[in-house]
Structure formats: structure tokens, C-alpha cells
Amino acid sequence: MKTLAFLVSCLVAAALVATYVALGGTSYEPTPVANPCAPRPHHEPTGNDERIELVVLAAADAAACRLGVSREELVLALRSVDELDRLAAKEGKSRDELEQALRDGLVRAVTQAQDEDLIGGTTAGALRFAAEHLPLGLLLDLLRRGSSLLG
Amino acid sequence: MSAGRRRALVGLGIGLALADSSVVTLALPDILRQFDVEIPQVAWVLTAYNLGLALAAVPAAYAARRRPRAAYALGTVVFAASSLLCGLAPSFGVLVGARCVQALGGALLVCAALDLLTAIDGSDARAVRTWAMAGVVGAALGPAAGGILTETLGWESIFLVQAPLALLTLVALVGLRATSVRGPAGRPHVPANLALLLISGALTAALFLLVLLLVDGWRIDPAVAGVIVTVLPAAAIVTGRFAHRFGASRARAASGAVLIAGGLGALGVLPGSDWRWTVAPQVLVGVGLGLSLSALTERALEGRSPQAVHGGWTIAARHAGVVIGLLLLTPIFTTALDTNENRALRAGAAAVLDSSIPPLEKLGLAQDVLAIVRAADREVPDVREAFVDRPRDEAYRTLEATLVDELDRAVTAAFSRPFLLAALLALAALLPIAWSRGKVSV
């Protein structure tokens, strides 16, 4: 009786754990994020908002690829200069490296958007100027409020 | 007054004092918010009481054996008065301090109750069974009772309600004669007490982390969570009634430890973020609790005198186990939560950027979610707050559901490691249970 009760307990406990494992109980993985260095599926923008989105996201992809982080991490870090510094520290980069990657990424994305006729030459020129010359805080503010880029 | 009524009143006193080790579990999120403290700090509302009981139980038992009636009365009055202070605490420090005093009263009350039950029943064995069962019921029912009170009347009501209930149990003393027990106390039953310590440490995970998972992790209403976690005490109480049919105390203790480990192991590998997955593990933990705690308590007291002193050792062992469980598991959980939250945040940001909400809203929303996660600071964030002032169309609803699911999965996985560690603690209890072979006739 003693041994039987113990064996039944072992069996019941093992059966429940095995069932939960079989149902995927140990398989937690966050939804994977895309590689920023790999090309994204082509998407035809339908308005100015989507054009701006494509430029900003392409800029984030280019900068993230160069920094070796995900686009999502970089986008979340665009919230403020402090968040950017936090990301730089985490990745072992300097603020200058991160800032340069952002500026270069935006210039590259603007050039690409201009080549694909997503934005006009004047807008592209203004954006390039902003990317190269605006102080970082102001540039981040512009990226956050993308609508102001097209007026 | 009949022996049955006296037994019920003293049992109520024991139940109240031991329920207090877990009764505030469901109230912790409210206490955390009210006093603006973090998870590791708020855990001290539980830790202080359990640590106090662990440290005070044996000295209280020595004091109680000389004058059990007076010790019970004093313990009850201290317990009731400090409960009132807990309910009216103006600051977190006062609350934790009052919990320490409450533990001193509780220790005196619980240890003296064992000699009172012997006087009421005229039998050591029956007194031990009642004493052990009252403790199991109290500890197991605590979270559910606390959750329902928190939701209906506020967390303070937990303490304000138990003060008059505790005082009511003093009626049992009227006309009761309990003799003092003199003479040296023998050595405590080390294997049984060690097993109690390990099992109690493991049960902390079930009672504390499960409630935290339901309320803070899955954002289930505390009253509903209170009902959900009644599965565990219900299983423990039903099992307790029939426990003696399962064989000798050592076999019951070993079977109980395995079932608790199995239940905790299953909680560590939950296949989804839905409360229904917790039911079967709760049943296993409850049955294991009903089998093992009373069996180990009986084993620790069997053939030993004076009962109150050895009862004190079991209380000390149990609550030292709870403290160890809290101190061991809480940091593991909060670290895992930080890691998984960051991973979920990246996945959530991807979901926002790839969603069909208006493009110019995406950056703002992603960053609002980040702000909520950062502000939560070692608590479980509620990303739904980011959607409060946003449109309620299909695109936003779908995105909100995706983010909530992402976070739910991350939070559920963060609980995995502490539950699995707790399962190992329960399995480790098999060693002292095996070691106790032949030490006491069973």
C-alpha cells in the first residue's frame, strides 16, 4: 500500500508535467524580429504618411544593421537621448558611433526614397540637410513627429 | 461549553494565525501600489510575519507549556491588537513592524493551542491531528480569503476582520483547565522538521507566485483570482479528511512531496497564459499539501514531549521554509521578468511597426509602450494603458491583443524558473523523509 501510493503519486506527477511539456509548455520564445540587414518585402505606399514611414523605417534598418542591433531596439531608443545612451552603453558603442549611424542611415534612406520617386528632390534635400546638420535631440524629435517632415 | 465548540474555536485561532503567513498574498499588488514600493520590498509583508513566526515559535512554545491558558490569551490579544495596527498602518514601515509583532502573538497563540487541544480532547494524538489540520486549512485558505476581502472591502479589511475573530476564540478558555507541562524537552525530530522546511519553501511558490502570476501577470481580478486559487485549499482539505487511509505518515509525506513537486513542475511548464492551465497543478499541490504537511507534523510530534515545544519546532521549520522560499524565489522571478520583458518589448515593437495602424502613430505608440514598461520598474507592466487615449478600431484592437499576448507569454515564462526551483525543493524533501526511516514507528 505504501509503495503503491508512492508509485501512483510519481506516475500522476510525471504524467501532468509530461502532458504540459508535450503541449508546448517549455517552448517560450518571443515573436522573432526581422534582421535589419535583410531587405524587407516591398510595399507600395499609398500616401505621404506611408512614405514617411518607409523612409524612417529604412533609416532605422540601415542604422540598426550598422550597429548590429535590431531595428526595434533602435526605434525604442529614439524616444530620447537618454534611451540612445542606454542602448549605446548596452551595445558597447560610443554615443558618437550611434549618432553617426543614425545620421548615415537617414541619409541613405532618403537617397533610396528619392531614387524610387517616393519623395521629391526638395524634400530629400531638406531631409539630408537635417540628417547631417541638426543637433541630435532635434533630429530625434523630427523622427518621432514624422508628419512634420513633409509639412 | 462542549468540547466540539472549544475545539472549533481554538482551531479557528490556529487557522487565523497560520493563514496570516499567506493571507496578504492577493493583497500585495494593492499594498504595493498604495505604499509605492517594489515587488522585492512588498514581499516583506509576508517575509516579516513568517520570519517572526520562525524565530519566535520555539521560545514561545517553552513559555506556553508553563501556562498554556495565559499564553494563549496573551498571544491572542497581541495578535488581535497588532492586526488592527496592520489594518490602520499609515506607512509601509509601520505595516511591516506590526506584522513582526503580529507574528510574536501568533507564535504564542499557536504553540499554546496545542496544549489546550490536548486538554480539550484528552488525547495527544487527536490534539495533534486537529492542530495540524487547522494549520493546513488556515495556510491553504489564506490567499483565497485574503483575495476576496481585498476585492470587496480593501486589503486593510483582512487585518481588521481577523482581530475580532481572534478575540472571539478566547471564549474557548472559559472554564477550561489546561495543566502546565514541566520537565526537560527532548531533541526535535530533525528529519521531519527539515522536510517541513523544504516542503513549506516549495509551497511558497504555489501560494505566492501563483497569485502574483494570476493577478499581476495575467491581470485577473483579485476576487476572481481568489476563487481560482481555492482549488488548492479545497484539494488539501478533501485530502486531509481521508489522508489517514493513504498509509503511514512517512508514505503520506513522501507521496505528498512528489505530488507537490509534480504540481509545481507543471506550473513551471504551463502551455498557455490561461488560468485553466493552473487547475490540475493546483489539485496536485493541494493533495500533496493535505498529505504531507499533516503527516510530517504528526511525525515530528509523535512520541515526543512536551507537545507544545515540538509543535513550536514544526512551526519554526515551516515558516523558516516560507522565508527561505520567498528570499530565494523572489529575486529569481524578478530577474527573469526583466530579461523576458526586454525580449517581449522588442517583439512588441516589431508588432507595432509591422501593424496596420496609421504610420505616423507607430513610433509614438511603440515609445509609449516602452515608457509604460520602464515605469513599471520590476513590476509587470500593463501595456493596455498605451491604448487608452487611442482609437478603438480593428487595427488598434488587434495590435493591443498582440502586445498583451506577447507580454503574457513573457511573464508566464518568467515564472517558470522559480516554479521549477520550488519543485526541486519539494523533491529534496524526500531525502529527510527517507532519512527518518525507522526513527519513529509508523
Side-chain angles (χ1 to χ4, degrees):
Chain A
M1 174 67 187
K2 287 185 217 171
T3 312
L4 183 65
F6 182 70
L7 287 177
V8 169
S9 302
C10 292
L11 204 64
V12 170
L16 183 65
V17 174
T19 306
Y20 276 23
V21 168
L23 290 170
T26 54
S27 64
Y28 168 70
E29 272 303 322
T31 306
V33 295
N35 176 2
C37 303
R40 306 261 172 188
H42 182 72
H43 170 64
E44 197 60 45
T46 55
N48 278 349
D49 285 0
E50 287 196 14
R51 285 194 185 91
I52 283 300
E53 180 193 18
L54 283 179
V55 173
V56 171
L57 293 183
D61 266 334
C65 177
R66 181 159 146 190
L67 293 167
V69 300
S70 70
R71 178 185 72 176
E72 287 68 24
E73 275 178 296
L74 188 65
V75 164
L76 290 171
L78 293 180
R79 182 167 169 247
S80 66
V81 175
D82 284 348
E83 290 288 350
L84 271 181
D85 284 344
R86 192 199 296 250
L87 179 66
K90 187 180 149 223
E91 297 300 324
K93 312 267 185 204
S94 69
R95 156 86 81 82
D96 287 347
E97 283 177 279
L98 210 111
E99 187 176 333
Q100 198 52 52
L102 263 180
R103 291 184 189 280
D104 291 349
L106 187 53
V107 169
R108 191 175 144 186
V110 167
T111 305
Q112 189 182 336
Q114 190 183 4
D115 291 348
E116 292 173 4
D117 286 334
L118 289 179
I119 54 176
T122 312
T123 307
L127 286 173
R128 261 193 296 272
F129 179 83
E132 286 167 351
H133 300 291
L134 279 186
L136 184 61
L138 203 55
L139 183 62
L140 292 184
D141 197 38
L142 273 181
L143 287 174
R144 278 196 300 275
R145 294 184 291 112
S147 55
S148 61
L149 293 175
L150 283 185
Chain B
M1 184 184 292
S2 70
R5 281 189 186 166
R6 279 190 211 280
R7 194 183 307 118
L9 282 169
V10 174
L12 174 64
I14 299 165
L16 282 173
L18 294 184
D20 250 62
S21 70
S22 59
V23 74
V24 287
T25 308
L26 270 163
L28 291 181
D30 281 17
I31 295 173
L32 180 143
R33 277 187 286 274
Q34 178 163 336
F35 292 114
D36 194 21
V37 290
E38 296 175 7
I39 289 176
Q41 280 172 282
V42 83
W44 275 99
V45 180
L46 284 176
T47 309
Y49 186 80
N50 286 291
L51 188 60
L53 263 183
L55 294 175
V58 175
Y62 273 96
R65 70 177 179 151
R66 295 183 184 280
R67 300 180 66 186
R69 283 182 79 240
Y72 184 88
L74 178 63
T76 304
V77 170
V78 170
F79 180 81
S82 49
S83 294
L84 284 178
L85 186 57
C86 287
L88 303 171
S91 68
F92 187 71
V94 172
L95 175 60
V96 173
R99 289 283 283 166
C100 293
V101 180
Q102 205 190 16
L104 300 181
L108 208 50
L109 179 168
V110 171
C111 294
L114 187 51
D115 280 338
L116 295 186
L117 285 171
T118 304
I120 292 167
D121 290 324
S123 149
D124 277 355
R126 185 164 183 190
V128 168
R129 270 205 299 277
T130 308
W131 190 77
M133 200 56 210
V136 170
V137 172
L141 270 179
I148 291 163
L149 279 171
T150 300
E151 192 58 12
T152 51
L153 300 167
W155 68 265
E156 298 89 342
S157 66
I158 294 173
F159 298 108
L160 299 178
V161 163
Q162 67 188 7
L165 283 177
L167 292 175
L168 176 70
T169 69
L170 291 175
V171 175
L173 299 181
V174 178
L176 178 66
R177 287 189 177 187
T179 52
S180 62
V181 182
R182 307 220 176 239
R187 289 176 56 201
H189 192 297
V190 176
N193 282 304
L194 187 56
L196 272 173
L197 182 147
L198 291 165
I199 292 274
S200 300
L203 282 171
T204 306
L207 296 172
F208 175 63
L209 290 176
L210 177 59
V211 162
L212 213 57
L213 175 64
L214 293 172
V215 178
D216 244 18
W218 297 345
R219 294 169 299 282
I220 292 175
D221 194 79
V224 177
V227 174
I228 293 170
V229 297
T230 51
V231 171
L232 196 156
I237 292 165
V238 170
T239 307
R241 292 183 66 87
F242 305 102
H244 287 84
R245 299 183 189 175
F246 286 81
S249 60
R250 203 164 64 91
R252 275 186 282 139
S255 301
V258 166
L259 290 174
I260 290 171
L264 290 168
L267 286 171
V269 291
L270 289 175
S273 308
D274 188 310
W275 65 267
R276 277 167 286 210
W277 291 113
T278 72
V279 173
Q282 281 194 72
V283 170
L284 248 63
V285 174
V287 172
L289 173 70
L291 286 175
S292 62
L293 270 197
S294 55
L296 288 169
T297 305
E298 288 167 28
R299 197 160 174 79
L301 297 179
E302 195 173 3
R304 282 167 198 263
S305 177
Q307 295 266 294
V309 170
H310 292 285
W313 278 109
T314 67
I315 296 296
R318 278 175 57 172
H319 294 276
V322 174
V323 172
I324 290 168
L326 284 171
L327 295 181
L328 198 68
L329 301 176
T330 308
I332 291 172
F333 159 68
T334 48
T335 306
L337 186 61
D338 275 353
T339 309
N340 284 7
E341 233 172 49
N342 282 329
R343 296 168 75 192
L345 194 58
R346 278 199 296 277
V352 174
L353 297 180
D354 296 335
S355 71
S356 56
I357 66 169
L360 299 179
E361 273 286 304
K362 290 182 179 178
L363 275 182
L365 179 59
Q367 289 164 0
D368 284 354
V369 170
L370 175 69
I372 289 166
V373 173
R374 291 266 190 271
D377 190 25
R378 310 200 96 186
E379 291 171 35
V380 180
D382 186 355
V383 292
R384 292 173 304 178
E385 290 168 15
F387 291 83
V388 169
D389 294 326
R390 290 195 153 88
R392 299 302 301 160
D393 61 31
E394 184 62 28
Y396 279 94
R397 282 205 303 273
T398 306
L399 181 57
E400 183 180 345
T402 306
L403 289 183
V404 168
D405 175 64
E406 195 71 55
L407 194 67
D408 277 353
R409 292 192 305 117
V411 167
T412 306
F415 280 86
S416 172
R417 202 174 294 173
F419 275 129
L420 293 176
L421 187 66
L424 286 179
L425 281 180
L427 282 181
L430 288 174
L431 292 175
I433 291 169
W435 172 30
S436 71
R437 184 174 193 167
K439 290 216 167 199
V440 176
S441 58
V442 289

